[in-house]
Amino acid sequence: MIVCVCKNVSDRQIRAAMADGATTVRALRNELAVSTCCGKCAPEVKRMVDNQDMTLAAQVVSNAQDTVRGAGERVGVKLRSSLYQPAQI
Ligand code: FES
């Protein structure tokens, strides 16, 4: 789906750029020239960046839970299952 009509930039291109490290609206603007003409795509680009932040936060929480679970198993401690529930973000 085309997000930026002025520069003909798709959501796939934006996601690929974010995966390559362009994790801010400014970086995407520099990388893909989104939101540099009429600006109508700016809210959608910002939404995609914000959702990327949420995805990264969920990954950090999941990795921390895996670490705690692994540490507990290594020392023979059985943690309560409620600690294993993924955080709601
Ligand atoms: S739609 Fe992106 S700058 Fe116009």
Side-chain angles (χ1 to χ4, degrees), residues 3-7 33-42:
V3 173
C4 180
V5 175
C6 295
K7 298 297 180 179
V34 294
S35 192
T36 59
C37 194
C38 75
K40 287 184 179 175
C41 60

Side-chain angles (χ1 to χ4, degrees), residues 8-82:
N8 196 31
V9 178
S10 70
D11 59 332
R12 285 185 183 180
Q13 289 172 290
I14 292 172
R15 285 194 186 90
M18 288 193 297
D20 287 342
T23 56
T24 64
V25 173
R26 178 177 293 203
L28 290 168
R29 188 179 299 138
N30 291 338
E31 182 81 19
L32 300 171
V34 294
S35 192
T36 59
C37 194
C38 75
K40 287 184 179 175
C41 60
E44 179 62 14
V45 173
K46 183 174 182 337
R47 187 194 64 75
M48 292 179 75
V49 167
D50 290 346
N51 284 347
Q52 171 81 0
D53 287 345
M54 297 296 280
T55 301
L56 290 174
Q59 286 174 347
V60 168
V61 169
S62 177
N63 290 345
Q65 289 174 327
D66 288 346
T67 300
V68 169
R69 186 178 305 125
E73 289 170 358
R74 278 192 299 278
V75 296
V77 174
K78 185 167 186 151
L79 302 176
R80 290 186 317 188
S81 62
S82 62

